[in-house]
Amino acid sequence: MRVETKTVTVRKATQMAFTQGAVLKVLHAMIHRRWPKGCLYLFPTQDTVTDFSSSRFGPLIRDNQESIGIHVRDTNRVNLKRVGDGFLYFRSGRLSQEIQGQTKTSAGLMSVPADHAVHDEYDLMSQRIDELVDGRLAKSEIKTKAFLSNPSIPDYGISAKFDESDQRYWFAKCEACGVWTCFDDPELPEEQIFTKRIVEQPDGSVIRACSNCGRAVDVRLGQWVRYRLDVHDHAGFTIGRPSASWVDPAALLQEFRTTRDIGNFIRIKLGRPYIEAENRLSIAEVLACCGNGGISDWDTGPCYMGLDQGGKEKDLLHVVIGKKHPTANGQYIHLGVHK
């Protein structure tokens, strides 16, 4: 909450309290008039906006009336609050339409000036929301942003943002030997987290084990460590439930052993992106299939064509035109979306 970089990214497991931290940081800054133009707080859908405002933000204000509530004035709208001299806008990060690469904004983001924007559950939003949010921050001299999310797949959404950041991991200090251990160690495959970090003892108990002496470690005695020292204005944090002191390591180990959906376990409980190896295409694999001819407007043929109706936009057709190739199965020569 004390970080002052232009951008903050949090790639996390679920139920790690970062949303609460982000909201408190927003309220603190607005109460002390650090963001006079206001703040834009985005959720994936309008339903999540309403649910959060009613079930979490409202009780937070009511339960802390003297410290927070006296600074918040109701506007009779669940998605708009006045805090200090500015406005806190709760909005959906879903775009109304994307047609032929053109982003169509939603009415909820129109005419909303802000100094700061929070993207909560960023992976569930349209990834084109960034350019629209930048427009809302255009007249601000502050222009700070925060991205929070449970990850989905590698190189996408919150994981791509985290890769651009200074990449901070939580390290806890062993009181027995003084060595620091990361229980979300990116160098360890998931299964080794549960053999080298979350360790079952001979008596059947389960501990968070020091990487040096093997004794139990209190993960509350820790600090964030930056992996990338070359990045200075983008703080990135990643943390999973192995580092959460309120999570029972025995229950976590048992769930790992019995889960039928390892992908969801890794994403939700460990806070790591995951995709099955057989379903993943690397950038190199895609580029290896590409030539340098570009998209052709004509060809002598013979060619074949595939058409698909454009989803919600019934008047648009997705077109793929290909032809035989002397060495490969075929060659695409034209891709497009047409009336």
Side-chain angles (χ1 to χ4, degrees), residues 80-132:
L80 178 65
K81 305 294 179 183
R82 181 152 192 152
V83 184
D85 293 335
F87 285 98
L88 173 55
Y89 303 89
F90 294 113
R91 293 290 189 268
S92 166
R94 175 171 290 177
L95 302 180
S96 55
Q97 294 177 353
E98 292 183 35
I99 303 174
Q100 286 186 287
Q102 299 296 314
T103 302
K104 306 297 183 181
T105 185
S106 62
L109 291 181
M110 296 177 65
S111 303
V112 176
D115 290 312
H116 180 73
V118 180
H119 306 69
D120 203 324
E121 291 304 336
Y122 180 60
D123 274 36
L124 300 180
M125 299 179 192
S126 167
Q127 298 300 290
R128 296 193 174 207
I129 195 68
D130 288 8
E131 59 193 80
L132 300 177

Side-chain angles (χ1 to χ4, degrees), residues 12-31:
K12 62 185 183 65
T14 57
Q15 304 300 311
M16 297 295 289
F18 278 92
T19 290
Q20 196 80 346
V23 171
L24 290 174
K25 182 173 182 176
V26 165
L27 288 170
H28 181 271
M30 295 189 68
I31 288 170

Side-chain angles (χ1 to χ4, degrees), residues 68-233:
I68 300 176
I70 58 174
H71 301 284
V72 180
R73 282 166 280 177
D74 206 340
T75 61
N76 295 321
R77 293 171 58 187
V78 295
N79 62 354
L80 178 65
K81 305 294 179 183
R82 181 152 192 152
V83 184
D85 293 335
F87 285 98
L88 173 55
Y89 303 89
F90 294 113
R91 293 290 189 268
S92 166
R94 175 171 290 177
L95 302 180
S96 55
Q97 294 177 353
E98 292 183 35
I99 303 174
Q100 286 186 287
Q102 299 296 314
T103 302
K104 306 297 183 181
T105 185
S106 62
L109 291 181
M110 296 177 65
S111 303
V112 176
D115 290 312
H116 180 73
V118 180
H119 306 69
D120 203 324
E121 291 304 336
Y122 180 60
D123 274 36
L124 300 180
M125 299 179 192
S126 167
Q127 298 300 290
R128 296 193 174 207
I129 195 68
D130 288 8
E131 59 193 80
L132 300 177
V133 170
D134 287 343
R136 301 300 95 212
L137 303 177
K139 294 184 179 180
S140 169
E141 297 181 359
I142 300 169
K143 295 185 179 69
T144 54
K145 293 184 285 187
F147 300 86
L148 297 81
S149 189
N150 182 231
S152 51
I153 61 176
D155 307 322
Y156 174 83
I158 200 71
S159 294
K161 292 284 185 187
F162 179 74
D163 291 344
E164 298 169 358
S165 74
D166 60 11
Q167 299 180 14
R168 305 183 191 198
Y169 290 80
W170 184 254
F171 279 73
K173 186 176 183 179
C174 177
E175 293 183 282
C177 70
V179 169
W180 295 82
T181 299
C182 179
F183 291 89
D184 305 300
D185 191 340
E187 303 299 324
L188 287 181
E190 290 78 19
E191 62 274 9
Q192 292 186 26
I193 292 289
F194 294 96
T195 58
K196 296 184 177 182
R197 296 292 183 268
I198 307 295
V199 179
E200 185 173 9
Q201 302 298 287
D203 63 359
S205 63
V206 179
I207 65 170
R208 293 177 172 89
C210 171
S211 60
N212 180 55
C213 69
R215 297 183 187 178
V217 173
D218 185 348
V219 289
R220 295 173 296 178
L221 307 176
Q223 65 183 22
W224 293 103
V225 177
R226 294 169 56 190
Y227 267 46
R228 289 188 60 186
L229 302 181
D230 59 320
V231 178
H232 303 290
D233 213 16

Side-chain angles (χ1 to χ4, degrees), residues 291 293-294 296 299 304 321-326 328-334:
S296 301
D299 192 271
Y304 48 86
I321 300 177
K323 66 177 183 179
K324 290 183 178 181
H325 189 272
N329 289 336
Q331 177 183 1
Y332 294 127
I333 60 172
H334 182 87

Side-chain angles (χ1 to χ4, degrees), residues 48-60 62 78 81:
T48 51
V49 170
T50 303
D51 291 345
F52 178 86
S53 181
S54 301
S55 66
R56 297 184 66 180
F57 186 80
L60 174 67
R62 289 194 300 271
V78 295
K81 305 294 179 183

